[in-house]
Amino acid sequence: MKLREIGIEGIFVSFYGANKSVHDKIAGVPESGDKVERTLESCRLLGLKVVLNCVILSDNLNEMVNIYKYANEKGLKIRTDCDIVPRWDGSDEFLEKIINNESYKKMLGQLAWFGHVKTDDSLHHSHNLGGCYAALNSCYISPQGELWPCIDVPWKCGELQSGLKFAQIWQDSPILNKARRLQKLMAMENNKLCIYSRHKKHHYEQEEE
């Protein structure tokens, strides 16, 4: 892989279940669990830092103990999140999979019992880097190979499966460069909002003109 060669130090990998059938069901991509496992092994061999990114849903709630056990066995960090937002295609089917407080506390107790977390830990870890880093030092690659500035910024910048190289898209994509110009505007204002939230406001329209 060339990720290491172009200076990538680490990646977040979506991981929904140690049980591959659970992962595949949530990801909506057949054999996705196998692909993730191969990706994790490749990253290990390359010395890339990996964080498992796991959204907690009703579909994988009973998998959380196994997910933490898997992460511990592999020596991987894990980031969990209970927040669910509608998909960019307009579907809100995942909203019905939000877990309630009672289920959350029960799961937390199970994790504490197995020594994975302390009883007073919160599993909701949000990015707190002091601002938006989309298109600056991070991006998102979809299961279909599309590159976006961020998982929360659904602007298609290029397709890796079309033969384009990551470095080429990262450096030359007009959409990524547009996002970077917007980042500069926000930096001048000391604005730490997500650029996708910002783009809906008048500053983005002014930048476009």
Side-chain angles (χ1 to χ4, degrees):
M1 293 176 67
K2 295 186 178 181
L3 290 177
R4 192 62 168 170
E5 297 175 13
I6 61 176
I8 301 296
E9 297 180 355
I11 60 174
F12 283 82
V13 176
S14 296
F15 191 85
Y16 305 118
N19 183 322
K20 294 178 183 178
S21 63
V22 173
H23 177 94
D24 290 356
K25 178 182 177 182
I26 296 175
V29 179
E31 300 181 359
S32 176
D34 290 326
K35 294 176 182 177
V36 167
E37 196 164 271
R38 291 196 297 270
T39 297
L40 294 176
E41 178 60 16
S42 296
C43 290
R44 184 188 69 81
L45 294 175
L46 289 168
L48 288 172
K49 298 176 183 178
V50 175
V51 176
L52 299 181
N53 201 38
C54 179
V55 177
I56 305 174
L57 309 166
S58 58
D59 286 346
N60 66 353
L61 184 62
N62 294 328
E63 269 282 284
M64 291 312 300
V65 170
N66 290 332
I67 289 173
Y68 268 79
K69 181 180 179 181
Y70 179 92
N72 289 339
E73 290 176 349
K74 298 291 185 180
L76 301 172
K77 293 183 178 181
I78 181 169
R79 176 187 182 273
T80 54
D81 198 338
C82 296
D83 286 343
I84 304 176
V85 296
R87 295 184 340 200
W88 296 117
D89 62 5
S91 172
D92 60 359
E93 62 178 288
F94 272 87
L95 294 180
E96 64 186 28
K97 301 180 183 298
I98 296 175
I99 63 173
N100 57 41
N101 289 334
E102 183 178 346
S103 297
Y104 176 84
K105 291 178 180 179
K106 181 179 179 180
M107 175 202 64
L108 196 60
Q110 292 174 336
L111 291 174
W113 175 264
F114 285 95
H116 295 312
V117 299
K118 297 178 181 178
T119 54
D120 59 349
D121 276 350
S122 170
L123 292 179
H124 182 185
H125 303 299
S126 297
H127 290 295
N128 187 23
L129 301 176
C132 176
Y133 283 73
L136 296 180
N137 63 6
S138 65
C139 65
Y140 167 70
I141 299 175
S142 75
Q144 292 74 35
E146 294 181 2
L147 193 149
W148 299 358
C150 169
I151 193 171
D152 292 320
V153 185
W155 301 339
K156 182 177 174 181
C157 304
E159 294 185 17
L160 295 175
Q161 295 181 356
S162 67
L164 291 174
K165 296 182 178 180
F166 176 88
Q168 181 181 355
I169 300 174
W170 181 257
Q171 294 170 7
D172 301 333
S173 166
I175 296 177
L176 282 174
N177 288 326
K178 182 184 297 183
R180 290 166 186 144
R181 292 197 300 274
L182 181 55
Q183 291 281 26
K184 289 182 179 179
L185 272 177
M186 294 172 63
M188 291 172 62
E189 300 175 343
N190 195 30
N191 189 323
K192 296 181 179 181
L193 292 176
C194 162
I195 63 171
Y196 188 67
S197 298
R198 189 61 170 172
H199 118 283
K200 298 178 181 180
K201 299 181 182 296
H202 68 280
H203 282 280
Y204 184 76
E205 281 75 20
Q206 289 177 354
E207 194 270 344
E208 281 283 280
E209 290 177 356

